[in-house]
Structure formats: structure tokens, C-alpha cells
Amino acid sequence: MLRYITLRLTLPAVLSVTLLPAAASAQSQDSQSVAEAARKARAQKKNTEKTPKVITDETLDVKKGDVQSATAEQPRMPGAPEAPAQPAAGATNAPTKDSKNVSENDKARAALKERVALKEKIKEAQSDLDLLQREYQLDQDSFYSSPDYAKNTSGKDKLDALKQQISDKQQDLEQLKAKLAALPAPQESAETTPKS
């Protein structure tokens, strides 16, 4: 019996002592080969030279005699008057547009801002309505999936409240759309008409 116990204990020890150096040397050979491959790849990459790109008149798409403006175009809203150019030296500051035209532009700008604000409100209301409808659908599925849904009065009340919120949001959305339709159409001026 004692012999079996010692044999059981010594056999794994002997095997591990004999096999451990072989496994370590195999692992070190693999790591050396990977490291060597990386060194070779880096050396090969250094040896391949990249030719620098030379920019000449032939490689550019600019035609001779083509003048490009050094000033950037100022962004502006459609329907807004053009920004006045800076007066030349010695020029007087005489008004270039009459007050009637300026007030019309202000009215057009205000109408445009109102139209944009209404469109944003419509977009937000549509998003809210969509979320409410999704929430209602999920709650409805959850409510009716329960076998005793007829006894769940709080769940039914919650569904009814969500349904009322959806109805209210739909009415608000319709009112916003009606306000947008009632606004005068934006007027296209010669300045905002795209040139073809």
C-alpha cells in the first residue's frame, strides 16, 4: 500500500521535471520566431522608400488666369438682405435702402423665424407622440399578457391615462400643423433664388 502511495506521488513529480524544460524551450522558440518576424517586417518597411508627392501647376486643377477670392463668403439666412460692403475711403455714409424695404425685410425675417420655430415644435410634438404610442403599446402588451388582467384596475387606469395623453398630443400636433399652414408662404426674393 505504501508503495502505491509513493509511486502515485513520485510519478507526477518526475514527469513534470522531465517535460517542463521541453515545453519552456518550445515556447521560447515560438516567441523568438515571432520577434524575429517582426524585426524583419520593420526592416523591410524601412527599406521601401515612399516617394514624396510633388505639387506642380500640372497637378493642380486651377486654370491659369483663374482668380480665387481671398475672402470667405458670409453665411446668411434666406430672405435676409445682403450685408453692406465696407465704404471706400472718403465715401459718405448715405442710406442705400429706404425704410420701407428694410421694414419688409424685417417682417419677412420674423415670419421666417416663426415658421422655423413652428416646424421645430411640430417635430418635437411628433417625437413625443411617437414615444407615447410606443410606451402605450408596450404597456398594453404587458397588461394583456397577464392571465388576470381583468382584475388589474391600476394597469387599466394607466392604459387609459396614456391613451388620453396620446389623444391630447395628437390634438396639439394638429393645431401646430394648422398654425403652420395658416402662415403666409415664404417669399422668394431675387437674393435667395438659386442661380443656375
Side-chain angles (χ1 to χ4, degrees), residues 43-180:
Q44 185 180 11
K45 187 176 181 181
K46 286 181 182 178
N47 290 340
T48 58
E49 294 180 20
K50 293 182 180 179
T51 58
K53 184 176 181 180
V54 178
I55 299 175
T56 63
D57 287 338
E58 290 81 32
T59 59
L60 291 177
D61 290 333
V62 179
K63 298 175 186 169
K64 292 190 180 205
D66 190 17
V67 178
Q68 295 179 349
S69 175
T71 60
E73 185 176 316
Q74 296 293 327
R76 61 184 183 90
M77 289 179 45
E82 288 192 31
Q86 294 195 0
T92 61
N93 289 337
T96 57
K97 294 183 180 182
D98 58 18
S99 61
K100 181 181 176 185
N101 194 11
V102 172
S103 66
E104 287 177 11
N105 284 337
D106 288 342
K107 288 179 183 177
R109 184 176 291 145
L112 184 64
K113 284 183 181 180
E114 185 178 359
R115 183 179 273 296
V116 169
L118 272 175
K119 285 184 178 181
E120 286 295 321
K121 285 181 182 179
I122 289 172
K123 184 178 177 183
E124 187 177 318
Q126 186 68 42
S127 176
D128 290 346
L129 177 65
D130 185 45
L131 287 174
L132 281 172
Q133 287 173 337
R134 289 177 187 211
E135 183 180 359
Y136 176 77
Q137 188 64 40
L138 286 173
D139 286 349
Q140 185 180 22
D141 289 348
S142 175
F143 176 75
Y144 287 117
S145 67
S146 174
D148 60 345
Y149 68 88
K151 297 176 186 176
N152 189 356
T153 57
S154 65
K156 182 68 173 159
D157 292 341
K158 183 179 178 184
L159 283 178
D160 292 340
L162 274 174
K163 199 169 193 176
Q164 183 62 39
Q165 285 180 349
I166 290 172
S167 175
D168 292 343
K169 190 56 83 170
Q170 286 174 337
Q171 289 175 357
D172 291 344
L173 184 62
E174 292 303 319
Q175 288 174 354
L176 288 172
K177 286 182 180 180
K179 280 184 185 178
L180 182 64

